[in-house]
Amino acid sequence: MVQEILMWISVVGAFSYTAYSFGKVIWSAYQENNAGCAGSCGGCSAKTDLLKQVNFKKLKPVR
């Protein structure tokens, strides 16, 4: 009985986390203030740092 309860708590937790993550990705696509590499976060400056390095080294981006 205890094993079944723990199993169902784990299953519900896994589905909840998956739904939350999926909803977060979908919801961020509809927000207008997306600033970031792929629009999923706005707190990182990785894209601008990468572009500075590319321009500094005169490298061509791979397509």
Side-chain angles (χ1 to χ4, degrees):
M1 181 71 179
V2 174
Q3 290 176 340
E4 290 179 5
I5 293 171
L6 292 175
M7 186 263 314
W8 282 111
I9 289 173
S10 298
V11 169
V12 169
F15 277 115
S16 299
Y17 181 73
T18 303
Y20 171 75
S21 297
F22 185 70
K24 192 171 152 181
V25 169
I26 296 299
W27 184 254
S28 69
Y30 291 110
Q31 292 177 348
E32 294 182 17
N33 58 355
N34 289 342
C37 296
S40 62
C41 72
C44 139
S45 63
K47 184 177 181 180
T48 55
D49 290 343
L50 179 64
L51 289 174
K52 284 180 186 178
Q53 293 232 344
V54 167
N55 289 333
F56 178 73
K57 293 183 179 181
K58 302 295 182 197
L59 297 174
K60 295 181 182 179
V62 178
R63 293 184 184 205

